[in-house]
Structures are given as structure tokens and as C-alpha cells.
Amino acid sequence: MTVRHPSRVLLALGVGALTTALAACGGDGDDAPATPGPTATPLAACMALNGTSVAAADLSLPTRGALITSAALVLATDTGNTNGEYCKVLGAIKPMDATAPDIRFQVNLPSTWNGKALQFGGGGYNGSIPNTLTKAPLGSDTAPVPLAQGYMTLASDSGHQAADSDDASFALNDEALLNYGYMHIKKTRDVAVALARTRYGSVPKRMYYAGGSTGGREALTAALRFPEAYDGVISNYPTANFLGLRLWGAALARAVYDNNSAGWIPPAMVTEIANRALQRCDALDGVADGLVSNMPGCRAISAQLVTDLSCKAGETGNPATCLTPVQISKTLSVYHDGYTLPYAFANNITRYLGYNSLEGITMQLGSQAAYIEPPVSGPNAHHVSRADQFVKYFVARNPTFNLLSLDIQNPGIYQNRIVELSDTIGATSSDYTKFKDRGGKVLWVQGQDDPSVSPYANAELYSAVVTRYGQAAADAFMRFYLIPGLAHGNGKFLLAWDNLAILDDWVEGRQSPPATPVGFDSNTATKGRSRPVCVYPTWPKYNGAGDVNAAASYTCARS
């Protein structure tokens, strides 16, 4: 590893001078001033990182190196710090394209290091550095956070800066798009490894990745694209089939807003659908606890719910007291069942399955019927807003493109671009061979109540892994859990479990994940209630006796 100290004059001159300095430095580090190593005091070792650079040769993907913009020692006694003493390092990875944004990152180097590192994933279209001082996503509420346990923690903004994670305008730049798709993951990791070598005199013996949504996709991407660089990943409700999800939003837009928004369902009726479904399905798991755990049983009776709510002779759906044929055949069809395409994404994927919109989740269809150009999440459907950004900036690369002009079944001149992007952004491959063969492990969690990522799309991707390797071989490196009540970072049952400890034990060979880990509800009103975290396709079934709020009263069942 080569850490360099550009002169203060060059730092003052800015990026252009820094580029020249990095180029002049080379890659061997023979002319670099000595830097305090692991024998220095934590303060000296931390401060010595200020203003240094990491050579491009120390990163496996193309960059112009990285600059450390600040390094400050956070004391264990500092107000508000519960993480122990650590060095907070901020910096920027310089792009090859001078017009592309930097990748801004944060690396926290604990003074008492356990020799391991945890990289945090982002969310949405990213644009800011996620919190690296907190627990692993969906992690334990009672265990110390990873940094306090001695993990080096790190994250980046994925390669661009934005005030709003719904903003996808960065994708007009090719390098920024590739960084978001996958490159920032490894680039950030490589810089962190270089910093560890300088600070501790060694590299992490274990490198983990944890995230939810976009961060969940990034976790799976780390295992698939960089199997030699990661030992284990925690993937929560990942946007793994990214193209499928975004085109689903485009299909929803046409279903809802075509023909003067004939498919739009008012909020009161959306709520009524969710409430009726919960009333019918809550007790199918043996107890009325506000959670639909027996989702297969609930989906089996969903057609009757549609029949009961559909407009009868003489009813028009105005006022919104029933569902019209258009609302059923267009909007509910797309939301509940998804779509199938006449062409294939990468890895021969031709469909995106739907959501539990007739089984208790509240659909996100917006507060008004009128379509705004560009659509805004809230007044318009959330998924439509995300899809609009995607199509404008990733696909058409035209900020004035109208989403309602895109037919995903026949995208015309955009089909090749869509297929190409599905290979750039996504984690849909079932081939984890290199990762699993070197001992890599995956903990994959999906919420049944998720309105943002289809639980069935992710279950289908997991099933492809089982098909490839067989159940026993898949179980040896991957666990997939489908959690009742869990939505998208929230929900009626907001899971908290000791996922990082379970992953670390598994990777280290101490023990495999428990057959039925215990998960706790983080919601304030129901905090402390527990359920078994059941391996897919099983779900928690009440035993008929015992505390309804205790995991011990439930068995993971298939029917």
C-alpha cells in the first residue's frame, strides 16, 4: 500500500494540482515520507493520515487515486460518543473522467481493532454517505454497535452527491453510473484496506458488507462481483432485480395514469383493501396479532376480496365505494401479480413478480389522481417517481422524456439499453460459486409486507440459487428469510436480530446460523415481542398455547 503526503501547496491548488501530484507519485512509494504505523499513539497515527493520498495502483478498478481530506481522533469521552475511541477519516476517490463526481467516503478506524471490517450500504439512488456509527441494518438493539465492538466501519455515497436520494440525474455521466451500479463498492473497500495497512500494519482478516434496499443489492453485488474481497454479506430487502423493479414502476404508471388516471385508487379505498385483507388473514397463522404470517393461505383467498370490493350493477366507483373494472384489471393486476416481458434481462429474467397488495400491505398510489410532470412521490405513486428518474437518466438519458410514453412490453429503441443496464445494475445471478468456495456466507432477509421491493421477486432469485446448487449446498452458504410484518425498513414487525454476530460465527466456522433464530420487534408500541426468524418457505405458526408475544410459542411451519 502507498500512502502519500502531497504538499500543502498542492492541496491548496485543488483537484487539478492533486491529479498532477498523484501522477507524479507513482505506485511504489519509495519517495513517500515515513508515516506513523501501528506503534504510534492513536492520536499521532490518526493525525498522520491528514492530507495523505492513496495511490491509484492500490485500487483494483480504474481511478486517479484517493485523497484523505480529514482525519480526526474521536475520544471515548467525547460528548455523545458511545463507540469507543476511533479515527474518523473522510476522503474522496478521484474519477478517471474529470467531469464525473468523486466518490466520497468515511472510514472509522477504532483504536482497539478486532481485525475485521464492516462496509455499510446506501439507499435509493444514494448521493450521501450512510451512517457508519450505527448497528448493522436490522441488527440487534441490545448488542454494542459494530464500531464499539472493534470493527473498522466504512461507507461511501456511491459516487455522486445529492440532497435527495430520489435524484438520478448523476446517471447522465457514464462513470458515475458505473460507480453507482457496482464500482464504488470495491473502490471504497480498497481505500479502507489501504488505510488499515497504514494504521494497523495489517489488512482486515474479515471483510463484511451489510445494507438494505439499494444497500442490500450492493451486498449481494459484493459477493457476486468481488468474491475474493468479501467474506460475508447481510442483504436486507435488496433491489436485486433493479431493472425489473424500475420497469414495474413504469408499468404501474401506465396502469394508474392512462386514460385520465382511470386506474388510480383513492387513499380511502387503498386503506379499505388493506384493512379488509388483514381482517380476513390475521388469524390464519393461529393467532390474531396484527401480522399476516400465513401468507400462502391469505393469497389463496385474495380473489374473493376483489370480488367483494368490485363495483356491482349500477355502481361506478365514484364516489370511491367500490373497485372499477379498470382499477382491477390494470392497477391491482400490476401491483399484485407483476408482469412478464417478451424479452429477457441479464440472467434470462423475463418477469417481475408482484406484492402482497391484497394481503394487508398498503399500496403506494399517491394522494391525487392528477399526474405531475415530473411525477412527485407522495402526490403521485412512489414507484412512479423512482421509475421516472430511472427512465429519464439511465435509459433515455433525456431529462424531458415523458414516462407515460414508454411501453415496457415494446420499448422500441430503448430495449437494448434496458437489457444492457440489467447487466450493469443488479444482483440477479445465481452463480455464487467463487464466493461460496472460499467460505463466503450470505444472510438474506426480505419482508412479506414490503411495498417497495417485491418479496416474490427476491424469493424467485433465491430459488434460482437452490436450483443451481441443490438445497443442502445452498444452505451451506446462504440463508433466506421471509419475515411477516416486516416492510421496507419499517412495518408492523420491525425485525431486530443479532445478524452480524450470526454471520461472523458462521464465517469463522464456530457455528452455523441457528435453525430458528429469535427476532425482536423494534417498534415502540410492541417493542420486545419476539418471533422465530423462519427460513423460507416456512413461517411462524402459533402453537395454540403460551405467550403470544414470545417466539417460544411459535413453530416454523409450511402449512
Side-chain angles (χ1 to χ4, degrees):
M1 194 234 36
T2 309
V3 173
R4 312 203 175 279
H5 294 254
S7 73
R8 301 304 172 189
V9 174
L10 286 175
L11 288 174
L13 289 175
V15 172
L18 173 63
T19 303
T20 303
L22 288 173
C25 281
D28 57 16
D30 290 343
D31 58 347
T35 58
T39 59
T41 67
L43 178 60
C46 182
M47 296 304 294
L49 294 172
N50 257 319
T52 61
S53 63
V54 178
D58 289 318
L59 285 77
S60 66
L61 296 174
T63 72
R64 289 181 293 126
L67 171 68
I68 308 307
T69 55
S70 71
L73 190 68
V74 180
L75 301 176
T77 54
D78 284 354
T79 302
N81 178 31
T82 60
N83 293 307
E85 185 178 274
Y86 65 96
C87 180
K88 177 182 177 181
V89 181
L90 298 175
I93 302 170
K94 312 308 290 184
M96 298 298 290
D97 175 4
T99 67
D102 294 339
I103 300 172
R104 296 182 183 173
F105 63 84
Q106 178 171 341
V107 179
N108 305 309
L109 302 164
S111 295
T112 303
W113 187 37
N114 67 4
K116 303 173 185 179
L118 176 64
Q119 187 169 351
F120 285 81
Y125 289 117
N126 285 331
S128 61
I129 301 172
N131 187 356
T132 55
L133 306 179
T134 188
K135 67 178 187 176
L138 300 186
S140 171
D141 285 333
T142 57
V145 301
L147 183 56
Q149 294 179 44
Y151 282 89
M152 181 174 77
T153 60
L154 57 137
S156 80
D157 61 10
S158 82
H160 64 277
Q161 297 74 52
D164 186 347
S165 65
D166 285 348
D167 181 0
S169 59
F170 68 89
L172 293 175
N173 180 279
D174 286 341
E175 189 168 354
L177 190 159
L178 290 173
N179 279 334
Y180 172 78
Y182 64 94
M183 285 190 175
H184 81 276
I185 298 168
K186 185 61 161 52
K187 291 177 182 179
T188 305
R189 178 262 182 203
D190 287 351
V191 168
V193 168
L195 291 171
R197 186 181 290 115
T198 298
R199 170 63 182 86
Y200 304 117
S202 62
V203 302
K205 63 182 179 182
R206 298 296 183 197
M207 178 67 72
Y208 300 133
Y209 202 108
S213 193
T214 291
R217 170 182 61 80
E218 292 167 354
L220 296 178
T221 298
L224 288 165
R225 285 190 181 265
F226 312 114
E228 76 291 346
Y230 292 90
D231 300 287
V233 304
I234 297 169
S235 177
N236 301 319
Y237 32 84
T239 57
N241 186 353
F242 182 82
L243 265 290
L245 172 60
R246 292 293 169 251
L247 289 198
W248 181 86
L252 183 68
R254 298 295 301 269
V256 172
Y257 298 111
D258 277 358
N259 301 317
N260 296 315
S261 301
W264 182 71
I265 303 174
M269 181 56 69
V270 168
T271 300
E272 179 70 10
I273 294 169
N275 288 344
R276 290 267 200 110
L278 184 61
Q279 291 167 8
R280 293 173 183 228
C281 297
D282 188 352
L284 294 178
D285 52 17
V287 62
D289 57 356
L291 305 176
V292 178
S293 296
N294 182 1
M295 196 58 74
C298 188
R299 286 183 75 86
I301 60 175
S302 62
Q304 185 59 50
L305 175 61
V306 175
T307 298
D308 292 348
L309 290 173
S310 63
C311 296
K312 308 302 187 293
E315 294 181 304
T316 64
N318 187 18
T321 57
C322 61
L323 292 169
T324 68
V326 172
Q327 291 170 333
I328 293 169
S329 64
K330 298 292 188 181
T331 305
L332 284 184
S333 175
V334 169
Y335 226 116
H336 192 254
D337 301 323
Y339 65 81
T340 299
L341 297 173
Y343 56 94
F345 298 144
N347 301 305
N348 202 35
I349 290 173
T350 59
R351 65 182 185 175
Y352 190 80
L353 298 176
Y355 298 76
N356 289 315
S357 53
L358 298 173
E359 292 79 26
I361 74 161
T362 301
M363 292 181 287
Q364 300 174 341
L365 294 176
S367 60
Q368 66 180 45
Y371 182 79
I372 303 169
E373 177 54 48
V376 178
S377 179
N380 292 144
H382 170 71
H383 285 286
V384 170
S385 171
R386 287 280 175 91
D388 179 69
Q389 288 283 305
F390 170 73
V391 173
K392 277 181 166 68
Y393 296 110
F394 283 78
V395 179
R397 307 190 102 171
N398 174 4
T400 66
F401 187 87
N402 189 320
L403 179 65
L404 298 183
S405 69
L406 179 68
D407 177 1
I408 69 166
Q409 297 293 326
N410 298 286
I413 62 172
Y414 300 112
Q415 181 171 316
N416 288 341
R417 175 66 175 169
I418 287 169
V419 173
E420 175 190 353
L421 285 168
S422 72
D423 191 46
T424 303
I425 311 171
T428 58
S429 173
S430 61
D431 187 359
Y432 287 83
T433 299
K434 291 182 180 179
F435 183 71
K436 79 176 184 64
D437 284 356
R438 63 178 297 271
K441 309 297 182 187
V442 179
L443 292 180
W444 186 346
V445 167
Q446 175 63 50
Q448 288 192 153
D449 285 18
D450 198 330
S452 297
V453 171
S454 165
Y456 301 104
N458 276 331
E460 189 168 59
L461 293 177
Y462 166 73
S463 295
V465 175
V466 174
T467 298
R468 174 183 287 269
Y469 298 111
Q471 190 68 62
D475 288 348
F477 78 97
M478 180 179 286
R479 293 285 195 278
F480 179 71
Y481 306 94
L482 201 52
I483 310 299
L486 177 64
H488 202 76
N490 50 24
K492 301 181 182 75
F493 188 92
L494 179 50
L495 176 66
W497 63 313
D498 210 356
N499 51 10
L500 182 57
I502 290 172
L503 179 67
D504 188 46
D505 281 344
W506 198 11
V507 169
E508 294 282 6
R510 288 185 290 269
Q511 61 179 347
S512 298
T516 51
V518 175
F520 295 88
D521 192 346
S522 286
N523 287 310
T524 301
T526 49
K527 195 172 184 66
R529 70 171 172 173
S530 61
R531 293 289 185 275
V533 179
C534 296
V535 174
Y536 176 81
T538 66
W539 46 268
K541 184 176 184 178
Y542 183 56
N543 294 331
D547 185 354
V548 298
N549 292 316
S553 301
Y554 295 80
T555 300
C556 292
R558 291 176 180 267
S559 62

